[in-house]
Amino acid sequence: CASCGIAEVDEVKLKECSDCDLVKYCSDECMQDHKSQHEEACKKRAAEFRDELLFMFPESTHLGDCPICMLPLPLDLKKSTTMACCSKLICYGCDYANEIREAEGKLQHKCAFCREPTPTKEEADKYQKKRIEANDPYAIYRKGAEQYKKGDYYGAFEYYTKAAELGDIAAHFELSHMYGDGDGVEKDMGKEIYHRELAAIGGHPTARYNLGCHEWKNRNPERAVKHWFIAAAQGRDESIELLLAMYKDGVLVIKDILAAALREHQAAVDATK
């Protein structure tokens, strides 16, 4: 134990500090007694942990894969569609293939994923309500987007917050904007960055790009380049444009870094085709 010195033997079990992996304690009392001595080192290690997580390459973007063809969904949301019956986001390729199949077979139009008939507006609202009651994070996020579009910022905030708590990455991104702009909530830069970082960690390319811009404005160019490189690798065009401009101006970006960013960016774009 970092406080009393007792060893971990037999029935004595030590537990790590809740914020870092540097020390262990035998009890909450020892942890509290040792806090003043350990606090500085703990904060430093916790920040290192956060950066390790923040700059780790996500396995995919926050959109994930189309549930039908299993190809990555395009960042351009105009190239995908949300099914009103099951709240599934599918790519236009699969939606179009389903339409062709139905036309050729003279079949009734049904959802490409769950095969339910196209719902009416009233039925779609009931389906959405059912998905929200089932704690479907994407359905809750979409309801928040609807409320935001109507100007109901308080309602949007409530839905986005719940969706974020359930793991919806896009909801974290929208919350970062709400805290940044003061829409329905008091402006809070700390919470703005907090939600933006969670969105970036979850694979949101725009959140990642925006973090790069934030770091650049705060004169942290190395961190900015790291963010823009990851965003470029996820298919974010603006990040590639910035890295190209920086390379031409001889600012931080060397040829190997740019070449790697271009390869990763093209691979991400090709994967959605």
Side-chain angles (χ1 to χ4, degrees):
C1 174
S3 180
C4 68
I6 192 172
E8 186 175 38
V9 292
D10 298 329
E11 296 182 357
V12 178
K13 301 297 181 183
L14 303 182
K15 59 180 180 180
E16 288 187 347
C17 169
S18 57
D19 294 320
C20 73
D21 60 352
L22 298 177
V23 294
K24 293 183 178 181
Y25 301 102
C26 63
S27 66
D28 291 339
E29 184 179 354
C30 276
M31 183 183 295
Q32 193 63 34
D33 290 343
H34 194 248
K35 183 178 180 180
S36 59
Q37 301 175 52
H38 174 57
E39 192 169 15
E40 185 176 346
C42 183
K43 286 182 178 179
K44 182 180 178 181
R45 183 56 181 149
E48 291 173 353
F49 270 145
R50 181 69 171 179
D51 268 8
E52 289 173 9
L53 181 62
L54 181 60
F55 290 110
M56 187 180 297
F57 271 76
E59 293 183 3
S60 66
T61 73
H62 65 295
L63 296 173
D65 300 333
C66 171
I68 298 177
C69 66
M70 302 308 294
L71 292 176
L73 286 164
L75 297 183
D76 184 356
L77 293 178
K78 294 178 181 177
K79 296 181 180 179
S80 57
T81 185
T82 299
M83 311 313 293
C85 43
C86 55
S87 292
K88 291 294 184 181
L89 183 66
I90 69 171
C91 70
Y92 264 175
C94 287
D95 189 41
Y96 180 69
N98 184 54
E99 289 181 0
I100 294 297
R101 179 186 65 84
E102 290 171 340
E104 291 177 347
K106 297 181 180 179
L107 304 173
Q108 177 188 6
H109 182 58
K110 295 182 178 180
C111 171
F113 182 78
C114 70
R115 300 306 187 192
E116 286 291 322
T118 303
T120 63
K121 177 65 169 63
E122 292 74 17
E123 289 173 335
D125 290 341
K126 288 181 181 179
Y127 283 136
Q128 184 186 51
K129 184 178 180 181
K130 184 178 180 180
R131 296 308 308 158
I132 290 173
E133 289 173 349
N135 282 335
D136 182 326
Y138 182 60
I140 296 170
Y141 161 77
R142 288 186 64 220
K143 186 64 177 179
E146 289 177 11
Q147 298 307 111
Y148 189 91
K149 191 174 181 180
K150 293 176 182 177
D152 178 11
Y153 297 140
Y154 178 77
F157 179 78
E158 292 295 311
Y159 281 112
Y160 283 150
T161 298
K162 185 174 182 180
E165 290 172 351
L166 291 169
D168 190 272
I169 300 304
H172 280 295
F173 179 68
E174 297 302 335
L175 285 172
S176 74
H177 276 302
M178 295 189 79
Y179 278 116
D181 297 337
D183 291 337
V185 292
E186 186 177 345
K187 285 188 177 184
D188 189 322
M189 181 174 287
K191 290 182 179 179
E192 175 190 0
I193 298 302
Y194 169 77
H195 284 288
R196 190 169 293 166
E197 286 185 346
L198 286 178
I201 291 169
H204 201 296
T206 304
R208 180 72 67 178
Y209 170 80
N210 289 347
L211 280 177
C213 295
H214 173 76
E215 294 290 3
W216 184 264
K217 289 178 182 177
N218 283 279
R219 300 183 179 181
N220 296 314
E222 291 84 2
R223 292 175 67 87
V225 169
K226 285 182 180 180
H227 282 305
W228 288 333
F229 184 94
I230 296 173
Q234 292 180 298
R236 177 80 189 197
D237 295 338
E238 291 85 346
S239 292
I240 276 292
E241 292 168 3
L242 274 174
L243 293 174
L244 277 168
M246 293 175 73
Y247 173 72
K248 290 177 181 178
D249 292 339
V251 181
L252 289 174
V253 179
I254 61 175
K255 186 176 181 179
D256 289 346
I257 292 178
L258 178 63
L262 287 168
R263 287 195 299 271
E264 293 289 340
H265 177 266
Q266 191 59 53
V269 173
D270 290 344
T272 65
K273 293 181 179 180

